[in-house]
Amino acid sequence: MTNKSNNGFNTWQKSFEKETKKNFSDAKSETDEGIDIKPVYTRDDLENFSFVENNSLPGQWPYTRGPKASMYTNRPWTIRQYAGFSTAEESNEFYKKNLESGQKGLSVAFDLPTHRGYDSDDDLVMGDVGKAGVAIDTVEDMKILFNNIPLDQMSVSMTMNGAVLPVLASFIVAGEEQGVDKSLLSGTIQNDILKEFMVRNTYIYPPEPSMKIVADIIEFTSKEMPKFNSISISGYHMQEAGADNVLELAYTLADGMEYVRAAMSKGLDVDDFAPRLSFFFAIGTDFFMEIAKLRAARTLWAKIMKNFGAKNERSLILRTHCQTSGVSLTEKDPYNNIIRTSYEALSAILGGTQSLHTNSFDEAIALPTDESARIARNTQLILQNETGVTKTVDPLAGSYFVENLTEELSKKAWDIITEIEELGGMTKAVKAGIPKLKIEESATKKQAKVDSGSRVVVGVNKYKNPKEPSVDVRVIDNNRVRDDQIKKIQAIKKSRDTKAVEKALANLTNAAKDETNLLVPCIEAIKLRATVGEVSKALEQVYGRHFAKSLSVSGVYGKHFEGDKEFMKVESKIKEFENINGRRPRVLVVKMGQDGHDRGAKIVATSFADMGFDVDMGPLFQSPKDVAKDAIENDVHAIGVSTLAAGHKTLVPELMKGLKEIDPKSKIIVFVGGIIPEQDYEFLYENNVSAIFGPGSNIIESAEKVIDLISDNLSKE
Amino acid sequence: MELVDKIIKGERAAIAKAITLVESSKDTDQQISRQLISELIKKPGKSIRVGFSGPPGVGKSTFIESFGSYLVSQNYKLGILAIDPSSQITGGSILGDKTRMVEISKNPNTFIRSTPSRGTLGGISMGTREASIILDAAGYDFIFIETVGVGQSEIVASNLVDIFTLIVGPGSGDELQGIKKGITEYADIFIVNKNDGELKMEASKTAADYKSALSYYKKLDELEKQVLLVSAIEQTGMEDVIKTINQIIDQNKLKGIFDERRADQLEYWIEEEVKNIIASDITNRLTSKGNIPKYSEKVMKNEMSMYEAVETITKDTLEQ
């Protein structure tokens, strides 16, 4: 007899309906993923599973309950904080401090020029050097980065996807020159290029040659670096870009399948490399969903790898790093972020992650300070030492709700994976731009929910803090960092054997023309002190640089506001504007410099268009001069600059200069949105920026401000 | 007019402002723009106007990026008017062409303007012709007009340019069905894009299909239509495109077709303009007299037939 037909349940249902004055069947809430959450789950909800197996154990097929039998009862997860600060020297200091205070692994963040394969002295990257991470131009920088950190004892994780070849080569050479053979190096390189094409945009070459490079690295490490993880297949950035958990899960696993195929096409046996594949997921604020996601990921991966013919048990097991969600952090009332991060961390632990990064509460505004980084690390130390969560493996197993949710997520993700496979795999899907568009659609929906108030964000759209606390943030002197890097490059270029470098680079270019593994000639070039930029250019000669086509969703944002007063107010202001001025208000939305995070820009573009603006989208990686030309030719009323990588202090004044150079009488107004520390506001206003919209700004309110500013500006004429 | 001098000097901001004026729906702007255009046509440049059309997804913008880069590398000045098809019925538009024209948009010898189509005939009628007159006066050697190939827009677009080009993709058998007779009269050049990688075989086959289909529809006195194979991504076939364009232009000039065509186009636009004015006049009269609701009610009540109503309203409206 099932529960629902028994008297107990009927009685419960009656009480429920009496208390809530709602029919039980209507009392569901729909998640972003389109899953209906019921107010109660029973034993019935454990039936008819096709993925989850009810009686499985940790460390056993299908590994839902964890990759290891003992999990944290034997050894807790690794606290691995991601960090990188401008220069190798500063980063090195930071690492050493962290290692002293209990951190076990290192995680390196690189600056955007390094990601995109440009040297610090390249004109294209003026505003980006040392922002959002450390600048690496040559192996000398890498050696400083790991000075007095024994690389045979420390596991190093590197977030690098675009310029993987020169960066991994520099790491190997730095180890060698420290006296550590490459076979002893341990750690992970992200090397996950597919998601770059979907969300983060720090690619260099087109998808196909990029996949070849991924396969080269898997091949090389599986033979020469047995302790090194060749790839970290990342869903993190998808969730950061607005993907819901099903999309994140499905696309990440589908990416993984594509990498497995790429490696197998090199003639490797699946068991030669699969045990060294690792994953990376984001953990947001939807507490149980995130737990279920990690459990579902392991369940699905085991099935996928079995289908690939894996024999070794280690090939079937998904191991993952997790990071708390950056996009859930708010600029408003920032101490709330400590609380958000704590719950997210607990989710990751209950989901069974192998390592974790907890964000600092000020990361919605700037790079963390020593103090905020300490709080972030302590969040994990408290979980490990005070809460008792390490004492029982997979404590939520058997929960009617969590098990059911794990199954539901698995099913939904499996459907999407099947779709992608039918399209011919992820490389093809990515080239067609489908996943990117789906993620942007999901992001726009989420934003609309927050802006319309149907999703509460404490301190942002409800329970606002009347006295916003002011927070000290880390300030980076970008020009100083760039000057220092340029001096270092010049010195190295003088002292190295230029002929030998040129020959090594020519060898590399030649190698790119056939099927040779590119890491070997890359290491040679780096050893001779070729720069990251030179190595990237040598390959670019054969592969070219990739420029993404930009597709946009429309109507998704507006749909959430049918009949909304504020929305209609902006719409009618725009209609009035059109009647007076003979055209709609026209806004150019741009990203400048090497920052490829375009979720914000895309959401602004699509929602502004839904309200009635004509929106010009600029290509990624534009220089301020290009933006000025574009804006003037299209005679836009305003330029919206989206900035998330701290380049605005250099790039915005350059833009203003560019506008005046083409048209001394230019009346185009400029507004800036994204991650901008309050300390920079005055500087930007002094440079004639008309408005600044920080993270968590309500888009409708922002749009109204923009249309008002444009109208005011025109009436001054 | 000060604006005229500035345009002729090639001042970017002035050209942009002038295009805004000719696109504007505001009465005062339209008056100024008429004055402006009357002045500008007295000072014609030497531009060749080339139209590019084709179904969505064949890589029009990517082709223009590639072909345009080739032209500017040969020191030509290039103006591009892109009619962006992504406009919505309600709300504004997202104009994303430039995300596919990364290299040429940086070049100082280009001027690129996107215009939201607003759903009318591919959006061409309002201001596009005038915008090309502005770019001509400003000294651009080539003016590209990019439209999306939907419905009537090809006919309208072909009336704006000296050479009309249709871009198609490999394996476009369906389009071949669609092109039938009509389009061959408007298009001078057919460009089969994506002649690269896995699609190479298919692209050559498509080009051959087009060639045979076009010879079938060819009129006796007509020039042979050209079918070209290119790859926008690999930037191959671009010399052929410019060579073919120049050849056709030279031939047409020699035979007088070039001027004849511009004269025909002028007729077309005068007719369009007159029709527009009459139509809007008639619409105004219709609304002010209120005959439509009045007579539809009668038809609804079976007091008269629809045809009688139409006849009565027409007569009444046309009466001075």
Side-chain angles (χ1 to χ4, degrees), chain A residues 355-425:
Chain A
S355 59
L356 180 64
H357 168 108
T358 30
N359 285 327
S360 302
F361 70 90
D362 50 0
E363 276 180 69
I365 315 165
L367 287 173
T369 60
D370 289 352
E371 190 57 24
S372 67
R374 194 178 67 89
I375 295 173
R377 196 172 43 247
N378 285 350
T379 307
Q380 297 195 49
L381 289 171
I382 289 169
L383 275 171
Q384 286 189 351
N385 295 288
E386 299 183 15
T387 63
V389 289
T390 58
K391 288 178 184 158
T392 306
V393 181
D394 191 24
L396 290 174
S399 149
Y400 304 140
F401 175 43
V402 173
E403 294 289 7
N404 183 279
L405 200 55
T406 306
E407 171 72 16
E408 284 295 311
L409 265 176
S410 302
K411 257 193 228 157
K412 282 197 170 267
W414 192 255
D415 287 345
I416 296 177
I417 292 171
T418 313
E419 255 172 54
I420 301 274
E421 286 301 291
E422 279 164 5
L423 268 169

Side-chain angles (χ1 to χ4, degrees), chain A residues 78-137:
Chain A
T78 306
I79 300 173
R80 191 192 294 277
Q81 299 294 87
Y82 174 76
F85 295 102
S86 305
T87 63
E89 289 85 354
E90 281 172 275
S91 304
N92 178 259
E93 282 305 309
F94 185 83
Y95 294 151
K96 283 192 285 198
K97 242 186 288 179
N98 286 351
L99 294 173
E100 279 161 24
S101 45
Q103 197 168 312
K104 290 281 158 54
L106 287 183
S107 185
V108 187
F110 297 94
D111 74 348
L112 290 164
T114 308
H115 276 291
R116 299 258 302 144
Y118 293 113
D119 287 336
S120 301
D121 60 355
D122 199 310
D123 282 344
L124 279 173
V125 299
M126 221 166 34
D128 297 307
V129 177
K131 296 286 172 68
V134 58
I136 300 288
D137 292 312

Side-chain angles (χ1 to χ4, degrees), chain A residues 124 428 547-555 578-584 586 588 605-606 609-620 622 626 629-630 632-635 662-663 665, chain B residues 2 6 12-13 16-17 20 23-26 29 57 62 88-96 98-116 118 194 198:
Chain A
L124 279 173
K428 288 209 169 115
F547 288 102
K549 273 191 214 168
S550 183
L551 305 166
S552 310
V553 293
S554 63
E578 194 183 0
N579 289 337
I580 296 171
N581 295 287
R583 61 169 175 154
R584 294 170 190 271
R586 189 161 176 175
L588 171 64
T606 175
D610 282 358
M611 284 176 253
F613 285 90
D614 281 336
V615 182
D616 289 73
M617 281 294 285
L620 285 173
Q622 269 187 309
D626 303 339
K629 178 175 183 276
D630 196 353
I632 286 182
E633 287 177 358
N634 286 290
D635 196 19
I662 304 177
D663 181 12
K665 289 188 209 151
Chain B
E2 199 195 339
K6 286 185 172 171
R12 215 172 282 281
K17 290 275 172 218
T20 302
E23 284 177 352
S24 173
S25 58
K26 199 163 123 185
D29 286 350
T62 316
Q88 311 161 25
I89 297 159
T90 56
S93 309
I94 296 182
L95 304 149
K98 282 161 306 244
T99 60
R100 293 179 285 278
M101 299 187 193
V102 181
E103 285 305 316
I104 44 168
S105 66
K106 290 179 191 166
N107 194 295
N109 282 327
T110 63
F111 186 103
I112 306 175
R113 175 73 168 234
S114 304
T115 298
R118 298 264 176 276
K194 303 190 183 173
E198 292 167 18

Side-chain angles (χ1 to χ4, degrees), chain A residues 225-278:
Chain A
M225 302 166 73
K227 294 168 75 181
F228 200 78
N229 296 320
S230 50
I231 192 163
S232 166
I233 306 156
S234 309
Y236 184 82
H237 315 84
M238 299 179 200
Q239 186 178 123
E240 285 293 279
D244 62 50
N245 282 290
V246 168
L247 289 178
E248 181 192 359
L249 180 57
Y251 289 157
T252 307
L253 297 182
D255 281 352
M257 292 166 76
E258 198 76 344
Y259 296 130
V260 168
R261 274 190 289 258
M264 287 171 83
S265 78
K266 289 242 141 194
L268 296 174
D269 184 82
V270 64
D271 288 324
D272 287 345
F273 62 88
R276 300 238 62 103
L277 299 176
S278 68

Side-chain angles (χ1 to χ4, degrees), chain A residues 294-561:
Chain A
L294 295 185
R295 303 176 89 247
R298 286 189 295 267
T299 314
L300 293 174
W301 189 245
K303 185 178 161 107
I304 288 166
M305 291 310 287
K306 204 169 205 177
N307 290 345
F308 272 118
K311 307 260 179 328
N312 182 348
E313 190 185 28
R314 288 182 50 80
S315 301
L316 304 174
I317 298 174
L318 176 142
R319 281 161 302 270
T320 189
H321 171 69
C322 286
Q323 180 171 341
T324 57
S325 159
V327 79
S328 72
L329 304 181
T330 61
E331 183 199 24
K332 296 265 158 63
D333 217 358
Y335 294 113
N336 287 345
N337 294 332
I338 300 174
I339 304 156
R340 289 191 183 98
T341 300
S342 303
Y343 288 123
E344 289 166 357
L346 180 57
S347 255
I349 298 323
L350 295 175
T353 190
Q354 279 56 69
S355 59
L356 180 64
H357 168 108
T358 30
N359 285 327
S360 302
F361 70 90
D362 50 0
E363 276 180 69
I365 315 165
L367 287 173
T369 60
D370 289 352
E371 190 57 24
S372 67
R374 194 178 67 89
I375 295 173
R377 196 172 43 247
N378 285 350
T379 307
Q380 297 195 49
L381 289 171
I382 289 169
L383 275 171
Q384 286 189 351
N385 295 288
E386 299 183 15
T387 63
V389 289
T390 58
K391 288 178 184 158
T392 306
V393 181
D394 191 24
L396 290 174
S399 149
Y400 304 140
F401 175 43
V402 173
E403 294 289 7
N404 183 279
L405 200 55
T406 306
E407 171 72 16
E408 284 295 311
L409 265 176
S410 302
K411 257 193 228 157
K412 282 197 170 267
W414 192 255
D415 287 345
I416 296 177
I417 292 171
T418 313
E419 255 172 54
I420 301 274
E421 286 301 291
E422 279 164 5
L423 268 169
M426 211 53 173
T427 310
K428 288 209 169 115
V430 157
K431 267 184 87 179
I434 300 163
K436 190 175 170 67
L437 210 57
K438 289 254 187 223
I439 290 172
E440 281 166 14
E441 190 183 338
S442 163
T444 309
K445 272 188 207 161
K446 284 190 189 181
Q447 179 73 39
K449 283 181 190 168
V450 174
D451 285 351
S452 66
S454 70
R455 169 163 306 157
V456 173
V457 181
V458 173
V460 174
N461 62 2
K462 218 174 176 181
Y463 315 112
K464 290 182 193 170
N465 189 343
K467 272 166 84 186
E468 275 291 331
S470 100
V471 176
D472 287 332
V473 299
R474 186 179 289 264
V475 181
I476 295 161
D477 182 351
N478 162 254
N479 290 330
R480 188 193 50 110
V481 177
R482 184 160 181 259
D483 290 344
D484 288 352
Q485 287 300 119
I486 292 175
K487 271 183 214 144
K488 281 199 269 180
I489 295 175
Q490 283 167 346
I492 288 166
K493 282 189 176 168
K494 258 187 209 153
S495 65
R496 68 186 185 178
D497 180 349
T498 308
K499 281 229 170 94
V501 172
E502 278 165 9
K503 203 176 148 219
L505 291 171
N507 278 345
L508 183 59
T509 304
N510 282 331
K513 290 174 188 156
D514 56 44
E515 293 302 299
T516 322
N517 191 311
L518 293 172
L519 198 55
V520 183
C522 222
I523 293 172
E524 282 313 307
I526 291 288
K527 222 184 258 179
L528 292 163
R529 270 52 186 173
T531 66
V532 168
E534 287 168 335
V535 166
S536 301
K537 284 213 175 88
L539 296 171
E540 199 182 315
Q541 283 178 32
V542 181
Y543 297 145
R545 244 182 204 269
H546 179 69
F547 288 102
K549 273 191 214 168
S550 183
L551 305 166
S552 310
V553 293
S554 63
V556 175
Y557 188 85
K559 220 166 62 192
H560 284 263
F561 292 92

Side-chain angles (χ1 to χ4, degrees), chain A residues 124-148:
Chain A
L124 279 173
V125 299
M126 221 166 34
D128 297 307
V129 177
K131 296 286 172 68
V134 58
I136 300 288
D137 292 312
T138 67
V139 65
E140 292 298 334
D141 293 326
M142 195 65 102
K143 284 170 73 180
I144 297 167
L145 191 65
F146 297 119
N147 190 24
N148 289 324

